[in-house]
Amino acid sequence: MSRAASNLQIDSARLWGMIHETAQFGATPKGGVRRLTLSAEDKQVRDWFRKACEAAGLEVRVDALGSMFALRKGRDMTRPPVGLGSHLDTQPTGGKFDGVLGTLAALEVVRTLNDAGIETDAPICIVNWTNEEGSRFAPAMMASAAYVGDFTTDDILSRKDSQGVTVAEALDSIDYRGDAPVGSQKLGCFVELHIEQGPILEAEHKTVGVVDSGQGVLWYDGKITGFESHAGSTPMPLRRDALATLSEIVLAMERIAKKNGPNAVGTVGEAVIAKPSRNVIPGEVAFTVDCRSADDGIMNALDGDLRAAVAEIEARRKVEVKLDLIWRKPPTRFDAKLVDAVENAAGALGYSHRRITSGAGHDACNLSTKIPAAMVFIPCKDGVSHNELEDATQADCAAGANVLMHTVLALAGVAS
Ligand code: GLV
Ligand code: MN
Ligand code: MN
């Protein structure tokens, strides 16, 4: 690598400026972001991103699920591009960094290469994946899953949000159903920068996490059917209370995750009473469960223990509980050579670093089943994420972007 390339640093202030500029699209009063996938706010940030990529000389294509691919030509266009990026959608009350950092750092890498006049051998392709978060449409990371062939495009297009709007209708409503067939933009490998979303790097005073693995995920949709009746006149022993049943399931989930721990977590994140009223015993409650582990055997144990606990509670309370496993994502092992490339870049740049497992799901995890993939983590304040208070420092964001850039340069190749 030439000296110019090996000494290259991204523009920290420019990256920080882009993160804060885009945080206006869906800004919440507490300093977070609400930018549900394929919403009006998502369209605003997508339009901004498309313009910024085009201004950086990139050719932007949109696939049939709305994922955006921005290509920077390489010297050897017979080589598949090195992919980098993340997502621009957020949780309903999300932060400014989850997904945004990896997508905008990818753009900052390209802007830095442009300014330095550096051409790479392989092309580079920045990706903004549709619906990473999974809070409007399930499952999470659906576009990258379709990209690697885990779902068909039509299956994903027909998924509905809680209002009955399909992915196809949502894409059309913001004019982001593109012509490129899903999977048609080939990538040779993929590298994603992200905040850790957990407490380890901060506690150990490490600047960079070299991500070598990721937890597997189990998602369930649940429905409890009991019996609605008068809250004043129905004696306690005669009740079939759907919400009281859910309370037991929530506590069972907590107990099961702890029993299978420390490498297991379990959460009931959504609960909706069908016809809520202060003086009616709830007769129908819908809920969701999210369980995770980096170990396939522990995932099986979580599934078995949860089903057994639900069956016992259902029989004892004389209610009906439907528990559907709607998504199973196996644990991820990232590509050894790419993980080494991230580690080498962090070391060469002089950043303190350690290997780490991702607790969260990421598009890179889906891609790793078909192409070499890896991730770079930086610390976030108090390990907090999926919260408006999510925070990271400018210096750590810049460090992560520098590691991303030097990993990409090593993978794409630059003339010496
Ligand atoms: C994505 O944010 C996930 O890990 O659920
Ligand atoms: Mn994310
Ligand atoms: Mn997230």
Side-chain angles (χ1 to χ4, degrees):
M1 207 182 285
S2 67
R3 259 167 76 88
S6 58
N7 290 332
L8 204 60
Q9 299 268 318
I10 63 95
D11 183 333
S12 167
R14 186 166 59 186
L15 172 60
W16 196 243
M18 286 196 282
I19 291 170
H20 286 83
E21 190 178 343
T22 55
Q24 292 166 22
F25 304 126
T28 62
K30 285 190 194 155
V33 179
R34 176 186 174 82
R35 201 159 60 219
L36 292 178
T37 193
L38 309 182
S39 62
E41 294 77 21
D42 190 21
K43 177 177 171 54
Q44 286 180 309
V45 78
R46 283 165 174 269
D47 289 350
W48 180 97
F49 180 66
R50 187 203 294 258
K51 253 175 81 181
C53 285
E54 285 170 353
L58 306 180
E59 188 193 326
V60 181
R61 297 172 73 207
V62 180
D63 79 7
L65 291 175
S67 294
M68 301 171 73
F69 297 84
L71 189 72
R72 183 178 194 260
K73 289 198 169 60
R75 251 190 299 265
D76 181 357
M77 290 304 285
T78 64
R79 282 181 62 180
V82 172
L84 68 170
S86 191
H87 60 99
L88 293 171
D89 65 320
T90 76
Q91 288 287 320
T93 47
K96 291 194 271 292
F97 298 89
D98 175 359
V100 175
L101 171 64
T103 318
L104 298 184
L107 178 55
E108 176 53 37
V109 166
V110 164
R111 292 173 86 175
T112 302
L113 298 182
N114 288 352
D115 292 350
I118 292 176
E119 217 185 349
T120 52
D121 294 333
I124 290 175
C125 186
I126 303 176
V127 191
N128 169 34
W129 297 102
T130 294
N131 187 35
E132 191 277 349
E133 293 292 2
S135 36
R136 179 172 179 195
F137 299 101
M141 308 174 283
M142 55 167 52
S144 56
Y147 179 91
V148 296
D150 289 350
F151 300 100
T152 63
T153 302
D154 284 345
D155 177 2
I156 296 299
L157 286 171
S158 69
R159 302 286 172 122
K160 289 186 177 153
D161 69 8
S162 62
Q163 307 304 304
V165 178
T166 62
V167 169
E169 288 163 348
L171 282 165
D172 289 340
S173 74
I174 63 163
D175 209 12
Y176 266 90
R177 190 170 354 176
D179 326 321
V182 171
S184 60
Q185 173 58 68
K186 298 291 176 224
L187 299 171
C189 57
F190 189 74
V191 189
E192 181 168 358
L193 167 64
H194 209 283
I195 54 168
E196 180 199 340
Q197 307 184 277
I200 297 170
L201 296 176
E202 185 180 57
E204 295 187 7
H205 304 289
K206 295 280 197 289
T207 304
V208 171
V210 178
V211 189
D212 57 8
S213 51
Q215 291 200 108
V217 185
L218 298 163
W219 272 14
Y220 305 83
D221 277 349
K223 190 168 128 186
I224 304 167
T225 310
F227 192 75
E228 272 173 18
S229 64
H230 198 295
S233 56
T234 312
M236 297 309 286
L238 298 185
R239 295 176 178 220
R240 291 162 59 209
D241 184 330
L243 187 60
T245 305
L246 179 59
S247 314
E248 283 207 51
I249 293 174
V250 171
L251 295 177
M253 181 70 263
E254 196 175 51
R255 207 167 45 245
I256 289 164
K258 284 183 180 160
K259 181 190 124 191
N260 288 286
N263 298 317
V265 287
T267 309
V268 175
E270 291 176 62
V272 180
I273 302 173
K275 286 167 270 173
S277 171
R278 186 191 298 262
N279 49 358
V280 177
I281 298 162
E284 191 181 303
V285 173
F287 66 101
T288 62
V289 182
D290 173 316
C291 300
R292 306 189 190 200
S293 176
D295 178 312
D296 236 338
I298 297 176
M299 287 177 69
N300 289 338
L302 289 168
D303 181 66
D305 289 354
L306 179 62
R307 288 182 189 283
V310 165
E312 187 280 321
I313 296 164
E314 179 182 34
R316 177 163 44 76
R317 285 190 167 269
K318 300 187 173 56
V319 294
E320 190 195 326
V321 185
K322 268 182 87 238
L323 187 68
D324 296 328
L325 179 67
I326 60 155
W327 184 40
R328 181 175 179 134
K329 164 91 190 116
T332 298
R333 295 227 55 91
F334 285 116
D335 181 80
K337 283 203 186 113
L338 253 68
V339 173
D340 286 348
V342 171
E343 197 161 57
N344 290 340
L349 290 162
Y351 297 127
S352 59
H353 57 90
R354 60 160 279 165
R355 296 231 170 175
I356 194 165
T357 296
S358 174
H362 298 287
D363 294 299
C365 301
N366 282 336
L367 295 162
S368 75
T369 64
K370 288 286 171 347
I371 57 173
M375 293 191 72
V376 184
F377 275 180
I378 57 147
C380 58
K381 189 166 186 295
D382 302 326
V384 170
S385 183
H386 285 190
N387 187 307
E388 291 163 275
L389 302 179
E390 181 183 274
D391 204 3
T393 67
Q394 181 176 340
D396 286 343
C397 290
N402 279 322
V403 173
L404 177 70
M405 177 167 68
H406 284 275
T407 304
V408 166
L409 285 174
L411 297 171
V414 273
S416 49

